[in-house]
Amino acid sequence: MSNKAGSLFWNLKQFRTLVPKSRTMRLYPLGLCKPKIVYSDWNTLNDFCKRMQSSGIIRYLFQDAFILKSDVGFQKKGISTVTALRIDRLLCARRLSFDSKQSLVSVDKSNDGLKKVNFHHEVSNEDVLNNKTKPNRISNSTLSQECNSLSDVLDTFSKAPTFPSSNYFTAMWTIAKRLSDEQKRFEKQLMFSHPAFNQLCEHTMREAKIMQYKYLLFSLHAIVKLGIPQNTLLVQTLLRVTQERINECDDVCLSVLSTVLEAMEPCRNVHALQAGFRILVDQQVWKIEDVLTLQAVMKCIGKDAPNALKRKLEMKALKELDRFSVVNSQHMFEVLAAMNHRSLILLNECSKMVLGNIHGCPLKIMINILQSCKDLRYYNLDLFKGLADYVATTFDIWKFKKVLFLLISFENLGFQPVDLMDLFMKRIVEEPESLNMKNIISILHVYSTLNHVYKCQNKEQFLEVMASALTGYLHCISSKNLLDAVYSFCLMNYFPLAPINHLLQKNVLSELLTSDDMGKNVHKLHILDTCLKLDDIVYHKDIDLSLPQLPQEPPSLPNAKVTEVLSSLLGGEGHFSKNVYLPPNYHIDFEIRMDTNRNQVLSLSDVDATSVTDIQRVAVLCVPKSAYCLSSSHPRGFLAMKMRHLNAMGFRVILVNNWEMDRLEMEDAVAFLKTKIYSVEALPAAAVNLQST
């Protein structure tokens, strides 16, 4: 008995020398702990454990063993003390059990914004797997096929975990993509509450530095897509390790890393990874072989990337142009818009490819192309006409909503697809039940802005259907949407009684005049007030709206060349006025006063002595390209309404296109304005007066 007692105490003494009750550990910026004192002779401890397992008093010997737990959580810098927690368990070199309870994401935040992540272990009885019970490796594709939910994947992991852990996250993301939005939300809640989820996160962190780089990226991509908070230690650790191992990138990894960076919110580790990514791309751009990988890299490189890097990627894309598929050409617009690089050569070549293979092109792709063209300020009339003509030719196969989205994209570009808009108007008249409150506002905006109903045959039917549909939603429409709809009707010179009466109610006006967009609302209400006074409206002539005054725009410099031409043509600046302002807030670049026969220009001093009825007022408007529909002389909605109102005020309107005037020589510019100002009969006399001056 004394020999056994002596052996017992000797064993206890040996164990106490091997396992101290507390150690100090250093916490690194990512929360990865490294012991300050490293014990290299762990084999001795393992051998000791194995020897003691054969004894019947093993639990008595190790009831005071310890595991480590940080009592301060995650720290970015400095040293934290890691204390020891007492457990009644054997402490040997082994993997962690999978029925333990852990907590990955805490709600507390440290000073730098990262959430504290503490792992608490309650170790199970099944501690060590021997070689006979080690599970076989399972792929993410097999997991995603065999499992029907995210919880099924976690159950599989808890029963028999395999390396690498990335397969489980990738399988969960693959399954999540198959679910509806409601199912996805429910499954994510179950995932976060699953007992094995925290252990899977811990395993992924442990394996980050040893798993293949592509599996590391697959893990990070799936974790981000599954909605795990970006400011957790798990995500930030994977970001840091990804940055440290970025030189291991190949073509596949570049593509995945591009997708990951595109999906992540800005933070310090993301910025650092982005910077490293740009350096790597700059070094390896000529080695990229796959076109899709090249486009993914270009899309991810960012709008603020150096211009030299953008040009290098452009040259690489031009080099691979012969290998572009139709999908590559369609995708190139969005890629160039994402990096904010306007490469006319690439855009022109891809436009030809898109038009040459337009049949079967999804409408979503067309809308993306048009949006990218707007972002890049790329106005290819042939491309726009080709897309519009294709949709007009196959109009019957497209849904109402999709055609409307396409028309909105065309309106953003200022392009008027006449045939397509006519067909859409016809469908609205034939199917008024397709209208709802949201698309009514959009349709009115598109048609009024592009001034499309000006000469349409079924204009009255279209406007009546739209007004009737809007009237049906007056009980639930917001004051802002109602004002936008009425403003659109004003641009189209149509004034439905019920919507206007509803808009002019005191409570509606009060809400509009106290909203955050009061300035825009006041401007539109002034336009409405002007329409009610100037246009041919029977029921609203006597209405007087008490509206705040619009702030007058600062005087702009008149077109210098037009000023010089008018001075030369009319005999000095005393024969015309500059920067004339008229209510509600209309600006006229130049005003000329003539006799009613347009034979003679009157000087400003002679006007007072002349009867008002004998004067013809001429408004010269210097117009930019944006006032017209794209590549046409068709005025857009506001300019058309302004011309209509100036005519009602007694003006004759002359439009002078700025870009055309800048191209003309002085003599040609004078001849151009002379034909615009004088009547045909007065032109010879005006020529004589011009020669005398």
Side-chain angles (χ1 to χ4, degrees):
M1 182 66 183
S2 59
N3 292 336
K4 291 183 179 180
S7 175
L8 171 63
F9 289 123
W10 182 86
N11 287 335
L12 286 173
K13 182 178 179 181
Q14 293 296 321
F15 180 73
R16 291 181 63 187
T17 60
L18 288 172
V19 184
K21 292 188 178 181
S22 66
R23 281 191 292 173
T24 299
M25 303 181 73
R26 183 179 298 274
L27 281 180
Y28 285 80
L30 290 176
L32 301 175
C33 300
K34 294 184 179 181
K36 191 172 181 180
I37 302 173
V38 179
Y39 295 96
S40 60
D41 195 13
W42 279 99
N43 291 330
T44 305
L45 178 60
N46 289 332
D47 294 341
F48 172 71
C49 292
K50 291 177 181 179
R51 290 197 305 270
M52 297 304 296
Q53 283 177 350
S54 60
S55 171
I57 56 175
I58 184 67
R59 283 198 170 275
Y60 175 78
L61 288 178
F62 292 100
Q63 65 180 355
D64 289 331
F66 299 88
I67 64 171
L68 301 178
K69 173 181 176 293
S70 171
D71 60 350
V72 294
F74 175 81
Q75 290 184 354
K76 182 181 175 185
K77 293 182 180 179
I79 300 175
S80 64
T81 303
V82 180
T83 60
L85 298 181
R86 197 177 293 271
I87 62 171
D88 58 349
R89 182 67 49 171
L90 173 65
L91 182 66
C92 295
R94 58 167 177 79
R95 67 166 180 86
L96 289 176
S97 63
F98 296 96
D99 58 350
S100 62
K101 297 179 181 178
Q102 304 174 357
S103 176
L104 175 68
V105 182
S106 171
V107 296
D108 296 329
K109 294 185 179 180
S110 58
N111 293 332
D112 61 350
L114 297 181
K115 294 185 179 180
K116 293 182 181 180
V117 181
N118 296 324
F119 298 99
H120 309 288
H121 305 283
E122 295 178 5
V123 188
S124 67
N125 293 327
E126 300 297 331
D127 289 333
V128 182
L129 287 175
N130 56 35
N131 293 332
K132 294 182 181 180
T133 60
K134 284 184 179 179
N136 295 325
R137 181 170 175 175
I138 185 170
S139 65
N140 65 78
S141 59
T142 304
L143 277 171
S144 61
Q145 292 173 3
E146 295 179 351
C147 301
N148 297 320
S149 66
L150 309 187
S151 299
D152 290 346
V153 178
L154 292 172
D155 290 339
T156 304
F157 167 77
S158 63
K159 293 175 184 177
T162 61
F163 179 85
S165 301
S166 63
N167 288 336
Y168 298 97
F169 278 117
T170 305
M172 284 194 290
W173 170 235
T174 304
I175 294 172
K177 288 189 292 185
R178 301 196 297 250
L179 305 176
S180 64
D181 292 340
E182 187 64 31
Q183 289 176 321
K184 197 178 298 183
R185 283 192 294 269
F186 180 70
E187 284 294 331
K188 285 181 180 180
Q189 292 176 357
L190 294 179
M191 177 189 73
F192 285 121
S193 61
H194 197 285
F197 174 70
N198 291 330
Q199 290 183 338
L200 176 59
C201 296
E202 182 188 0
H203 270 248
T204 304
M205 290 173 62
R206 286 211 225 106
E207 297 170 2
K209 289 194 174 184
I210 60 173
M211 70 172 67
Q212 292 184 33
Y213 193 66
K214 64 178 181 180
Y215 292 129
L216 174 63
L217 293 178
F218 291 153
S219 298
L220 183 57
H221 177 259
I223 287 169
V224 171
K225 290 295 186 179
L226 285 170
I228 296 177
Q230 187 172 313
N231 59 346
T232 54
L233 182 59
L234 170 66
V235 177
Q236 296 298 319
T237 300
L238 296 184
L239 278 173
R240 185 61 178 270
V241 177
T242 301
Q243 178 189 347
E244 292 172 354
R245 300 177 58 188
I246 197 170
N247 287 328
E248 302 176 31
C249 258
D250 55 12
D251 269 18
V252 176
C253 294
L254 276 175
S255 180
V256 179
L257 183 55
S258 301
T259 307
V260 169
L261 287 173
E262 190 178 353
M264 300 200 74
E265 297 294 330
C267 70
R268 283 184 298 174
N269 279 332
V270 170
H271 289 321
L273 184 58
Q274 178 89 22
F277 176 75
R278 288 176 179 175
I279 295 173
L280 182 69
V281 170
D282 188 61
Q283 295 173 350
Q284 298 187 4
V285 60
W286 303 112
K287 299 178 182 178
I288 299 175
E289 297 180 356
D290 185 63
V291 175
L292 287 176
T293 300
L294 175 63
Q295 290 185 326
V297 168
M298 293 174 70
K299 189 175 181 181
C300 174
I301 207 66
K303 296 182 179 181
D304 58 341
N307 288 329
L309 179 57
K310 291 181 180 180
R311 287 193 294 270
K312 186 179 289 188
L313 288 167
E314 177 190 2
M315 294 302 297
K316 174 63 176 177
L318 289 172
K319 183 180 178 182
E320 303 292 336
L321 197 57
D322 293 339
R323 298 174 53 205
F324 273 27
S325 65
V326 176
V327 175
N328 295 144
S329 299
Q330 294 169 348
H331 189 52
M332 200 68 214
F333 292 87
E334 186 179 357
V335 168
L336 291 173
M339 62 187 295
N340 193 27
H341 186 66
R342 188 170 177 260
S343 172
L344 290 178
I345 301 177
L346 273 175
L347 290 169
N348 290 337
E349 292 300 321
C350 290
S351 297
K352 294 176 183 177
M353 178 77 77
V354 169
L355 290 177
N357 300 271
I358 189 64
H359 296 285
C361 180
L363 203 66
K364 182 179 180 181
I365 298 296
M366 298 185 201
I367 294 173
N368 288 339
I369 290 174
L370 295 176
Q371 181 60 46
S372 300
C373 289
K374 181 180 182 298
D375 295 339
L376 293 169
R377 300 174 304 281
Y378 175 68
Y379 303 102
N380 187 332
L381 194 61
D382 293 334
L383 175 64
F384 301 159
K385 285 183 177 179
L387 295 178
D389 291 344
Y390 169 67
V391 177
T393 304
T394 57
F395 185 76
D396 293 336
I397 69 173
W398 303 107
K399 293 183 179 179
F400 186 92
K401 184 178 180 180
K402 291 186 176 181
V403 178
L404 177 57
F405 284 156
L406 188 69
L407 290 177
I408 292 173
S409 299
F410 280 131
E411 187 275 326
N412 290 333
L413 290 162
F415 176 69
Q416 182 190 19
V418 177
D419 294 338
L420 181 59
M421 295 183 75
D422 287 342
L423 288 172
F424 195 65
M425 285 178 64
K426 184 179 178 182
R427 177 178 286 187
I428 291 173
V429 173
E430 294 175 351
E431 303 174 7
E433 65 277 2
S434 302
L435 297 172
N436 56 47
M437 185 171 62
K438 187 174 182 180
N439 62 32
I440 287 172
I441 307 300
S442 300
I443 293 169
L444 289 174
H445 174 75
V446 170
Y447 279 81
S448 63
T449 305
L450 295 177
N451 189 27
H452 183 72
V453 298
Y454 181 58
K455 293 182 179 180
C456 292
Q457 295 179 353
N458 56 347
K459 168 185 174 180
E460 293 299 328
Q461 287 180 304
F462 169 74
L463 292 175
E464 288 174 3
V465 168
M466 296 301 299
S468 176
L470 178 64
T471 303
Y473 288 100
L474 289 180
H475 65 283
C476 61
I477 193 172
S478 67
S479 57
K480 177 68 169 60
N481 286 339
L482 178 59
L483 177 60
D484 291 340
V486 171
Y487 176 75
S488 297
F489 278 121
C490 289
L491 293 182
M492 294 184 286
N493 197 22
Y494 186 77
F495 306 95
L497 180 61
I500 293 178
N501 284 337
H502 191 81
L503 177 64
L504 296 181
Q505 293 178 3
K506 290 184 178 181
N507 59 329
V508 177
L509 290 175
S510 176
E511 183 178 350
L512 290 170
L513 296 178
T514 56
S515 66
D516 295 335
D517 294 331
M518 188 188 72
K520 294 180 180 179
N521 295 341
V522 169
H523 173 72
K524 292 180 180 180
L525 287 171
H526 271 288
I527 293 293
L528 174 61
D529 187 42
T530 304
C531 290
L532 298 180
K533 293 176 180 178
L534 295 179
D535 289 312
D536 187 16
I537 308 171
V538 177
Y539 300 99
H540 301 90
K541 288 287 185 180
D542 298 330
I543 292 179
D544 186 18
L545 296 177
S546 299
L547 299 173
Q549 289 296 321
L550 287 170
Q552 188 170 348
E553 298 179 359
S556 58
L557 293 176
N559 189 298
K561 190 167 185 179
V562 177
T563 303
E564 184 179 358
V565 170
L566 288 176
S567 298
S568 174
L569 178 62
L570 304 179
E573 295 189 5
H575 289 78
F576 61 92
S577 302
K578 295 182 289 187
N579 287 330
V580 179
Y581 286 91
L582 299 171
N585 200 23
Y586 286 151
H587 168 255
I588 298 176
D589 296 280
F590 303 96
E591 181 185 354
I592 304 171
R593 301 198 177 187
M594 308 179 67
D595 65 311
T596 54
N597 295 324
R598 294 169 53 198
N599 294 328
Q600 183 182 2
V601 175
L602 304 176
S603 65
L604 298 179
S605 59
D606 295 337
V607 172
D608 297 334
T610 307
S611 174
V612 177
T613 57
D614 297 334
I615 296 176
Q616 171 69 69
R617 302 176 71 184
V618 179
V620 179
L621 305 180
C622 298
V623 183
K625 275 187 176 182
S626 58
Y628 296 100
C629 292
L630 184 65
S631 297
S632 74
S633 59
H634 182 69
R636 302 189 70 176
F638 184 78
L639 178 59
M641 181 183 65
K642 182 177 179 179
M643 294 169 63
R644 189 174 71 242
H645 287 170
L646 289 176
N647 289 331
M649 294 178 191
F651 284 89
R652 184 169 66 88
V653 180
I654 296 176
L655 299 181
V656 177
N657 300 331
N658 288 333
W659 71 97
E660 291 181 351
M661 185 60 65
D662 292 338
R663 291 200 302 260
L664 294 176
E665 298 293 336
M666 190 63 184
E667 293 181 0
D668 297 331
V670 170
F672 170 77
L673 279 181
K674 182 175 64 175
T675 58
K676 291 285 187 180
I677 295 173
Y678 291 100
S679 64
V680 178
E681 295 80 7
L683 287 178
V688 172
N689 294 335
L690 179 61
Q691 291 175 2
S692 63
T693 57

